[in-house]
Amino acid sequence: MIKTCIAGATGYTGAELVKLISGHPNAEITAVTSRSYAGQKLTDIFPALGGMVDITCEPMDMESLKGRIDCVFLALPHKVSMSYAPFFIENNIKVIDLSADFRFKDPKAYEAAYQPHSAPDLLKNAVYGLSEIYGDAIKKADLVGNPGCYPTSLLLPLIPLIKEGMVSTRGIVSDSKSGVSGAGRALSLSSHFCEVNESFKPYKVGNHRHVPEMEEILSFHAKEPVKITFVPHLIPLTRGMVSTIYAEVTAPTTHDAVMNTLKQYYGSDAFVRLLPQGKFPDSAHVRGTNFCDIGVHVDNDSQRIILVSAIDNILKGAAGQAVQNMNLMFGMEQRLGLELIPGAI
Amino acid sequence: MIKTCIAGATGYTGAELVKLISGHPNAEITAVTSRSYAGQKLTDIFPALGGMVDITCEPMDMESLKGRIDCVFLALPHKVSMSYAPFFIENNIKVIDLSADFRFKDPKAYEAAYQPHSAPDLLKNAVYGLSEIYGDAIKKADLVGNPGCYPTSLLLPLIPLIKEGMVSTRGIVSDSKSGVSGAGRALSLSSHFCEVNESFKPYKVGNHRHVPEMEEILSFHAKEPVKITFVPHLIPLTRGMVSTIYAEVTAPTTHDAVMNTLKQYYGSDAFVRLLPQGKFPDSAHVRGTNFCDIGVHVDNDSQRIILVSAIDNILKGAAGQAVQNMNLMFGMEQRLGLELIPGAI
Amino acid sequence: MIKTCIAGATGYTGAELVKLISGHPNAEITAVTSRSYAGQKLTDIFPALGGMVDITCEPMDMESLKGRIDCVFLALPHKVSMSYAPFFIENNIKVIDLSADFRFKDPKAYEAAYQPHSAPDLLKNAVYGLSEIYGDAIKKADLVGNPGCYPTSLLLPLIPLIKEGMVSTRGIVSDSKSGVSGAGRALSLSSHFCEVNESFKPYKVGNHRHVPEMEEILSFHAKEPVKITFVPHLIPLTRGMVSTIYAEVTAPTTHDAVMNTLKQYYGSDAFVRLLPQGKFPDSAHVRGTNFCDIGVHVDNDSQRIILVSAIDNILKGAAGQAVQNMNLMFGMEQRLGLELIPGAI
Amino acid sequence: MIKTCIAGATGYTGAELVKLISGHPNAEITAVTSRSYAGQKLTDIFPALGGMVDITCEPMDMESLKGRIDCVFLALPHKVSMSYAPFFIENNIKVIDLSADFRFKDPKAYEAAYQPHSAPDLLKNAVYGLSEIYGDAIKKADLVGNPGCYPTSLLLPLIPLIKEGMVSTRGIVSDSKSGVSGAGRALSLSSHFCEVNESFKPYKVGNHRHVPEMEEILSFHAKEPVKITFVPHLIPLTRGMVSTIYAEVTAPTTHDAVMNTLKQYYGSDAFVRLLPQGKFPDSAHVRGTNFCDIGVHVDNDSQRIILVSAIDNILKGAAGQAVQNMNLMFGMEQRLGLELIPGAI
């Protein structure tokens, strides 16, 4: 059994990791940490877990974790993660970081969007945890920077097409929509029930921190700079993320051709489900699962491909992909503990 | 007092018309018609109206309405409206049609998207009821084709910019989102609570009937053919519509320049609210009102203008704009009966 | 025009008062106060009000209000209200207090549930603002303690029956349910979207502060002590309150007899709508209105009357009833500014 | 592996059974039937199941199922179930019926609430599938009448107290609330999104078909006739059921005494979670699980016990309890396939 610590277990992503590892056949929870709730039983914070999980939150004490765990999930805010990661790496504890701290190869790109990086040397060894694309590197990695939810929803459909030169590196638009859980459990007027319920709106138009992350990865695969237009929106629901992506074709194409390219990348063993022509994703169809559903429409009039992807932002967009990465890092089948069957409702 | 008939009063748009005319200082409801509920009191169908409205649904009997009414709202399905409109026009009853039957100048465009037109001669005199743009023509009109909700949300921000040549006629993308009331009161699995709640999805990708309506109007103002890419999505809320529109600039521009153009079209007497730089619409801010809120972001990197509009799909997108048009057609101030103050929640 | 000040205008109740007074034919807003947002325009806080309301929040400065206003609405927390009320009363400014500070005749009952009372002398002149029951006294009052939302929903159906001796003073159960807006705009995990959405639960079982308020009023009308069992629940919606009340009959009775008693109290000029046999309230039918809908079922097997009431907790349960009381206090028709027509959706 | 058929797989309960059996370690799906969708792949109806379940709906053909299956789940309407059950029983196929057809011992009680019974002889051998109470009988049963969702939520907290004589057989009130999935997947205005969203209301006041079912079971355990007052309400959410039950004590009691009684019945191996004093259930805490959470408040003033229970109406209230019963009928540990860990959100 792989012994894990979930740092930041009392946020929504952390709690989802608790749920997933609790049900994982080959992993177990050795410790959970929380700054705000140290000393309290996890079930006092999340009564839903009653009878299923019996563990008490610890403050983060790295020394005490040495020798007790094989793997740590850092479900912590940006900046906090990079202060802990070096210690764990030095002590042969694999790190899966869910903040942005280890998602960039280029420290300058990180620093432009976030803050000075205190562990830039680790960046070159960190692997970007988009499991279906970087699986081989993840298998050998000690440190994985788990992708953001928006990047996951956008990169999975786009990378194959941009890599194969089917879409232009210019003119990509992603109109993305996220459920409210993406904003986390910290109190904020923008997550206050009466402000969100029966409301739909864009936010951070032209200024979202996930853009540099997406552009770095796309540029790498395109072998030239890619600039995207990205507008996130808030959906009045708890879990779900849909990206509707508009990309210009480099040459006339067909639905079949696009699908065949996607199929080359996402074989039957992965969590990507490619939908038949005329069918498009629904966030409800992936809720509670690690799937990414992708639908495609080729619009010949406008010479555009419309790609629609849907994920559960807390699972494939965060905790689920983190566990998928753990599976890969420890040489296990990537589906382990993630065979979550979605419900009809 | 203007005497009105609301045909199709038991749909959501019809019911909203009942509410608006009931509160209108210069208009009153003389008759309401319903095929399914003829003979029943309207308050039996909508108990919410109890104590406010006391009227019984009639079957549609045009002869019986002659001489009793000045104006008829046809909140009826496409095809049904065009079978009634000629009679009313001949009998000097002004018609505001909320179906698509009188939105097109070109019968062929209508017929390509809908069905054969049985009253094509009326099309040339019908005025497209986008009040802020066609106000002068509406004032003289006997027959108004009230715009669809998606076209309203898209045309209000786009027409000024396309008319003034600030955005290209090519490459316009509108990623639009509608609340569930847009699908009406007829039963359907796609409006079934458990299928919609906690779900977000696109629908009719590349194939929505509102596209030809929008393209005809935009092409007229552009003086050249305009093709748009339009993807509608369903939001799990009752009322609200947001369009996020991506348009390419014809020359480098600024937020101020775009705003000034919009201000020329939408003076202080209209229902369009232009938001300051950095602010964007929220469907909740226009819920229960006839406002269209518009926010703008100029993205110099991609040479694109991002326009975001929000309306209440049942009001500015249907019943509210219909009353605004009635006000114009009868020489009244267009705000009459529509000074609906939105709530904080 | 009656000149009003709305103190605490940036809470949900305060904002609703702004909306109502803005639309009131005989009243206007002279000042709005806010501790947190003093100096900011109200439309910066509530963009929904853009174009409808143009006023800047002031800090509460009683001296500066003297001579400027005829009436003040105190939409403030308990304890804060009683520190302001005496000054206004002394200066001939009528006070409508929406906190609990002036709802009790007996200072000890108040103090048992809340805190020491700093203006107990005012209690004897304060009138409990349940408009339909205390209308005559409210007309002469300078100080009204506006009822809580739960008490309004429970007292309106119960008072006539308890006063006429039709139901026992023992054994009353009220199972009540409130929308989330009842918890206000202050941040709290219990109003955080993801915690409330897709959730239903009771809270403060056996220990809600509204119980003493309800028991004092019921006991007065019963002329003997009344104890009730009250369990509030949280509904995942913004506005709405439903109380399902189970009361034991003192003698066998019928639906007609109960209805006739209620009709004696709630004539056609009031905001109470009595539903026909077999029909029961729906919170959606009163949303956005000042109505209280009441349905009745007489269960002969159990010798119980089941009363169901529905109100909009922000309107009849708070701001709407406050305006109704202002109307009464200033000798106006009580419906003025409150003829809010509910929508079908 | 136990071979199962799920009849009526395209309703919400049927689909949940598909999900549960797909994830069950000792059972598999051999056939699914559907009247409306025969011949279609289940994933065409429920795209969410894509990649997880590969089966085509059959029409119900009992002969063809003979020899292929060990167990059939009848997720069918009342009346339809009883036409199929005898054949399966005769052919040694265990039957778990999710309709009301086999929930009653007394055919007359069934017929009073439903319709004439076509297989009354089977009633005496059918076991009422309230797993925690009738586990021993279920283990030996060939035919189980799976309880309704409301009865499950009400009987689990009440049976121990009524059996031990702690609460009176008179005066029980259950104020119950259900999510919309309880109304199923059949189209109806009362499940239409815009009618339910932002609405809360009671329905079938004094007249719900689950009452005779609950009264028969309670009377059996009380050894005298029990009459209850039951009012169901509709909550605007998909999954969840909360019953708030008010019962009169037969003698003064304490929280501890009530809890101890409940603990005697619901040991650590069951799905009932008893909450500590001062804590009450939240439907969200049991969503997606087979748990029934129970909280207790003893109100000495009114001599009442308040019991609050929460279940997922589709799981413990239907499909989950059905699988629990299958586990018992086939001699397996009752938790198999049901160790569903709830999420924090």
Side-chain angles (χ1 to χ4, degrees), chain A residues 69-259:
Chain A
I69 59 171
D70 307 305
C71 178
V72 64
F73 293 96
L74 302 177
L76 299 170
H78 312 308
K79 192 174 189 178
V80 179
S81 280
M82 60 184 168
S83 69
Y84 296 136
F87 177 90
F88 290 115
I89 296 297
E90 283 160 26
N91 286 279
N92 293 316
I93 294 166
K94 290 184 196 283
V95 174
I96 298 164
D97 178 31
L98 291 101
S99 84
D101 287 356
F102 297 100
R103 291 177 189 160
F104 289 78
K105 282 289 168 215
D106 178 2
K108 286 194 195 109
Y110 174 86
E111 295 184 344
Y114 296 88
Q115 64 254 310
H117 203 294
S118 65
D121 291 351
L122 285 179
L123 288 181
K124 62 179 176 299
N125 294 324
V127 176
Y128 189 66
L130 192 64
S131 319
E132 280 74 13
I133 299 296
Y134 296 100
D136 290 340
I138 293 164
K139 284 178 189 170
K140 300 173 205 149
D142 292 323
L143 170 57
V144 162
N146 214 58
C149 46
Y150 282 121
T152 297
S153 78
L154 191 143
L155 295 172
L156 284 174
L158 269 182
I159 284 174
L161 304 185
I162 212 146
K163 202 163 173 178
E164 304 298 330
M166 294 183 79
V167 300
S168 168
T169 56
R170 286 195 44 98
I172 294 170
V173 170
S174 183
D175 191 284
S176 297
K177 301 92 179 174
S178 174
V180 186
S181 59
R185 198 161 175 258
L187 298 184
S188 148
L189 201 55
S190 58
S191 300
H192 199 60
F193 183 85
C194 296
E195 307 282 322
V196 175
N197 185 41
E198 296 296 288
S199 152
F200 184 87
K201 62 171 176 239
Y203 63 100
K204 293 191 186 162
V205 177
N207 187 32
H208 196 285
R209 281 177 160 186
H210 282 170
V211 172
E213 177 182 337
M214 299 188 273
E215 289 182 342
E216 187 183 79
I217 300 290
L218 288 175
S219 299
F220 171 81
H221 290 287
K223 301 197 176 93
E224 64 178 74
V226 177
K227 286 279 178 192
I228 63 170
T229 298
F230 171 72
V231 180
H233 302 73
L234 193 64
I235 324 171
L237 51 71
T238 298
R239 286 164 174 260
M241 174 167 282
V242 170
S243 284
T244 310
I245 304 162
Y246 305 85
E248 293 168 21
V249 298
T250 48
T253 188
T254 64
H255 185 271
D256 279 1
V258 176
M259 270 294 152

Side-chain angles (χ1 to χ4, degrees), chain A residues 12 15-16 19 22-23 46-52 181 197-198 238-239 273 285 291 314 339-345, chain D residues 12 15-16 19 22-23 46-52 181 197-198 238-239 273 285 291 314 339-345:
Chain A
Y12 290 144
E16 196 77 4
K19 175 176 168 169
S22 298
F46 298 123
L49 296 173
M52 305 302 288
S181 59
N197 185 41
E198 296 296 288
T238 298
R239 286 164 174 260
R273 297 193 294 197
H285 295 168
F291 286 124
I314 296 287
E339 305 236 33
L340 306 159
I341 307 171
I345 51 170
Chain D
Y12 290 143
E16 196 77 5
K19 174 177 168 169
S22 297
F46 299 122
L49 295 173
M52 305 301 289
S181 59
N197 184 41
E198 296 295 289
T238 298
R239 285 163 175 261
R273 297 193 295 197
H285 295 168
F291 286 124
I314 296 287
E339 304 236 32
L340 306 160
I341 306 173
I345 50 170

Side-chain angles (χ1 to χ4, degrees), chain B residues 166-293:
Chain B
M166 295 183 79
V167 300
S168 167
T169 57
R170 286 195 43 99
I172 295 169
V173 169
S174 183
D175 191 284
S176 298
K177 304 90 180 174
S178 174
V180 185
S181 60
R185 200 162 175 256
L187 299 185
S188 149
L189 201 54
S190 58
S191 300
H192 200 59
F193 183 84
C194 296
E195 307 281 324
V196 174
N197 185 40
E198 295 296 290
S199 150
F200 184 87
K201 63 171 178 238
Y203 64 100
K204 293 192 184 162
V205 178
N207 187 32
H208 195 284
R209 280 176 161 185
H210 282 170
V211 172
E213 179 182 336
M214 298 188 274
E215 290 181 341
E216 187 183 79
I217 300 289
L218 287 175
S219 300
F220 171 81
H221 289 287
K223 301 199 176 89
E224 66 179 70
V226 177
K227 286 279 178 193
I228 63 170
T229 297
F230 171 72
V231 179
H233 302 73
L234 193 63
I235 323 170
L237 51 72
T238 298
R239 286 164 174 260
M241 172 166 284
V242 171
S243 284
T244 311
I245 304 162
Y246 305 85
E248 294 168 20
V249 298
T250 47
T253 189
T254 64
H255 185 270
D256 278 1
V258 175
M259 269 296 152
N260 285 336
T261 300
L262 292 172
K263 275 180 195 159
Q264 286 168 31
Y265 284 73
Y266 306 121
S268 61
D269 65 332
F271 287 101
V272 175
R273 296 192 295 196
L274 302 173
L275 305 188
Q277 189 160 12
K279 299 291 182 189
F280 293 91
D282 179 333
S283 70
H285 295 168
V286 297
R287 188 176 58 224
T289 81
N290 200 47
F291 286 123
C292 175
D293 282 1

